[in-house]
Amino acid sequence: MTANALRGEVTLTLDGTEYVLRPSYEATLAVEEQTGKSLLDLAVLADDGALTLRQMAIVTTEYIRAWGRETDVKSIAGVQAERIGELIYDTGTILVQPRLAIVLARATTGGSTPGEATATGMKTTETPAAA
């Protein structure tokens, strides 16, 4: 699996399997709803290393599912948060948290790295002309 940086995707290895986390709009809404936290709050928590295991499982699961839906990989689109949480625990939260900090930071900028070209080819630092 290959992550598409233009889409803000990040890879994460759990139990020897590489997953791609895709911070889509729909997945981000699901993450906010399930955690009761805003995207910005979650990004700050991740950057501080303060996400709970449950929050980590939710973020990881929803972003893996988003990649699975985008690529039409049904087995990935159907992953379950409980199992992903167990894999995160077994891998070590200290190893997973930094990857989630990256993907959540990218989500706060619309799924791309600030200053990089987006999937539409526009730079995220450009300001659209006034209408």
Side-chain angles (χ1 to χ4, degrees):
M1 293 181 211
T2 304
N4 180 346
L6 293 179
R7 296 278 185 204
E9 295 174 348
V10 172
T11 57
L12 175 65
T13 302
L14 298 173
D15 194 34
T17 300
E18 186 175 86
Y19 295 93
V20 177
L21 308 179
R22 184 171 199 277
S24 73
Y25 173 76
E26 295 81 10
T28 300
L29 288 178
V31 165
E32 288 183 329
E33 184 176 314
Q34 291 176 51
T35 62
K37 299 276 186 192
S38 73
L39 173 59
L40 190 54
D41 286 341
L42 291 166
V44 169
L45 286 170
D47 193 50
D48 290 344
L51 288 174
T52 66
L53 181 57
R54 179 81 178 130
Q55 290 167 333
M56 293 174 73
I58 291 167
V59 170
T60 303
T61 300
E62 290 302 332
Y63 287 171
I64 288 171
R65 286 177 180 168
W67 183 86
R69 286 189 300 269
E70 178 69 20
T71 57
D72 203 30
V73 179
K74 298 202 185 324
S75 61
I76 296 295
V79 295
Q80 298 299 311
E82 184 67 27
R83 180 64 183 138
I84 293 298
E86 292 169 357
L87 293 174
I88 290 170
Y89 181 82
D90 291 344
T91 298
T93 59
I94 197 77
L95 299 175
V96 175
Q97 192 107 216
R99 304 302 293 165
L100 296 182
I102 293 168
V103 76
L104 286 165
R106 288 182 179 175
T108 66
T109 62
S112 62
T113 303
E116 288 184 354
T118 64
T120 63
M122 293 180 61
K123 292 239 179 206
T124 56
T125 55
E126 293 177 5
T127 304

